[in-house]
Amino acid sequence: MNQAVHREVRQIKIARAGRKSRMEQIARHVRADLHDPKSGRLDARRIAAYLRISLSSLAAATGRSVAAIHKAPAADSLQQPLAPVAQTISLLSEILQSKEHVRTWLHSPHPDLGNQIPMRLILEGHAGAVADMLAAALAGQPS
């Protein structure tokens, strides 16, 4: 292979690697294990299992009935209230790498949340506050 062809092949490989890196960045906030494999929607049952909380606790946090969540855990009407919970899990997973560490963090008082326990805030319906604090911290913005 002549040098020009070799150089071109190398540039193509670099471009592909850059594209893959950008795609990974675009999708890094999505944890497939929190989604229903058929619909692609967030699944309350999977999120509750990840967090090791009862479905009734998650139902209360989302303002939905347990019966409705049992019937359709990936319903369109659940996507908005589940989004900050999933965002919190995804952001923590990027940093902490293991489910155990994520759950430990969620059950530990945090100074940027007024020394409140993040899981308690989530279960009281304030998952957005936890997700916003994490997103700001990762962006380097002071709390």
Side-chain angles (χ1 to χ4, degrees), residues 48-100:
Y50 182 98
L51 295 173
R52 292 190 181 162
I53 61 172
S54 68
L55 207 50
S56 60
S57 294
L58 188 57
T62 61
R64 304 305 192 273
S65 73
V66 179
I69 290 180
H70 271 292
K71 183 177 179 182
D76 189 49
S77 63
L78 284 170
Q79 299 310 293
Q80 196 66 34
L82 290 176
V85 180
Q87 181 185 10
T88 296
I89 292 168
S90 296
L91 290 170
L92 288 171
S93 295
E94 278 184 57
I95 301 163
L96 302 175
Q97 307 294 314
S98 77
K99 288 180 182 183
E100 293 76 25

Side-chain angles (χ1 to χ4, degrees), residues 83-137:
V85 180
Q87 181 185 10
T88 296
I89 292 168
S90 296
L91 290 170
L92 288 171
S93 295
E94 278 184 57
I95 301 163
L96 302 175
Q97 307 294 314
S98 77
K99 288 180 182 183
E100 293 76 25
H101 290 128
V102 169
R103 288 189 289 260
T104 299
W105 188 94
L106 286 168
H107 288 280
S108 302
H110 197 282
D112 290 340
L113 295 169
N115 285 320
Q116 293 191 57
I117 296 170
M119 182 60 79
R120 183 172 296 146
L121 290 172
I122 290 169
L123 295 177
E124 291 173 354
H126 304 292
V130 178
D132 290 346
M133 184 276 296
L134 285 169

